[in-house]
Amino acid sequence: NLPHLEQAAEARRRVLALTPRDRDPMAWADAQNDLGITLWAMVDRGADTTVLAEAAEALAAAQTVRSIADQPAAWAATQNALANVYKTQGERDGDTAMLAKAVSAYRDVLAVHTREAFPREWAAVQYNLGNVLVAFPEDGADQARLNEAIAAYRASLEIRTVEAEPLDWADSQHNLAITLRSTGPRWSGLQRSSLAPSNSGTTRRPCWVASGPSNRWRHCSASGAGCSASQSCSIRAAGRGWPVASSTF
């Protein structure tokens, strides 16, 4: 919960106060990384979004020690966390510069988290990349970004199969279908029934609830059960009004 995360963030700040960068750079970078991730998670629990700036600063600081050559896995994890922060900032503020930084950061992660070496992580990054690309407001580069988003969602589905990862598969299929529909008549034969699987056997429809950086989607029944009267049944991507979901690893 939020109070526990706030306590964790304060603990990380105390560690940083006692661990100068020049004394133990690796421990300092670890504490900066943990602080950034904790601050980002706090927004998911209702913290003011102003903490995102501190989160980005902490993660960027960690990257001054972690290098892709010496610590590729740690570097990629921090770079992915930084991309998540940029993505959240861009979506919440309608900041295209932040969205562009998120796109660049996710692409950097893919240089380490390749399909062959880290298939699940690679699929999650492809999925989040697609979500960032569709979050941009419409402009002259819109179609190119949509095409790249479609390719990214399809790439994620190479790993996220309905048999192996049914919930992640549904997320990717859902966002792919919405993006395909947005490009015109190309619906690609995807059926809404295939995008909202139900284990209960009842008819269900997507219910999207604002849940901070994770923005994970869930379903409610056709009658609306699971959605309170104060909740909208959709999260809207900046500039478009499309429901999206996000992945973390």
Side-chain angles (χ1 to χ4, degrees):
N1 57 35
L2 181 57
H4 289 168
L5 289 171
E6 290 173 336
Q7 292 170 19
E10 188 55 37
R12 295 303 179 190
R13 293 187 183 103
R14 289 196 295 270
V15 169
L16 286 167
L18 297 172
T19 312
R21 185 183 191 276
D22 56 355
R23 181 186 301 172
D24 191 339
M26 294 301 180
W28 179 84
D30 288 346
Q32 292 283 14
N33 179 76
D34 292 346
L35 174 60
I37 292 173
T38 301
L39 291 167
W40 180 70
M42 283 167 54
V43 177
D44 194 30
R45 300 296 188 272
D48 192 285
T49 56
T50 55
V51 301
L52 290 171
E54 185 183 357
E57 182 179 350
L59 292 165
Q63 292 296 66
T64 65
V65 173
R66 296 178 169 184
S67 72
I68 192 171
D70 297 331
Q71 297 177 282
W75 178 90
T78 300
Q79 191 71 4
N80 184 74
L82 190 57
N84 290 339
V85 172
Y86 290 151
K87 175 178 177 289
T88 302
Q89 287 180 299
E91 289 176 342
R92 286 174 177 265
D93 301 335
D95 188 334
T96 56
M98 282 296 175
L99 292 174
K101 291 175 73 171
V103 168
S104 179
Y106 282 132
R107 287 173 176 159
D108 289 342
V109 176
L110 290 172
V112 175
H113 283 157
T114 62
R115 187 185 190 282
E116 295 72 25
F118 301 93
R120 293 188 67 184
E121 291 84 352
W122 176 84
V125 175
Q126 292 283 8
Y127 176 69
N128 279 339
L129 177 59
N131 287 346
V132 176
L133 289 165
V134 302
F136 282 84
E138 297 181 36
D139 59 23
D142 192 52
Q143 189 59 53
R145 283 194 295 263
L146 291 179
N147 289 340
E148 186 178 356
I150 289 168
Y153 288 137
R154 284 177 168 157
S156 74
L157 286 165
E158 294 174 14
I159 304 300
R160 295 175 156 191
T161 64
V162 67
E163 296 82 10
E165 301 179 48
L167 294 179
D168 288 338
W169 171 86
D171 283 347
S172 291
Q173 285 281 29
H174 181 90
N175 289 1
L176 172 60
I178 291 170
T179 309
L180 285 167
R181 183 175 59 182
S182 75
T183 63
R186 293 175 292 170
W187 181 244
S188 191
L190 291 170
Q191 300 297 316
R192 285 187 178 275
S193 59
S194 72
L195 304 177
S198 169
N199 294 325
S200 66
T202 60
T203 302
R204 301 172 79 87
R205 62 183 174 82
C207 175
W208 300 70
V209 293
S211 56
S214 62
N215 284 347
R216 296 290 295 181
W217 68 279
R218 60 185 175 84
H219 290 99
C220 59
S221 69
S223 64
C227 296
S228 70
S230 63
Q231 290 172 332
S232 168
C233 276
S234 61
I235 290 176
R236 302 302 181 183
R240 297 182 190 280
W242 303 345
V244 297
S246 300
S247 271
T248 59
F249 62 80

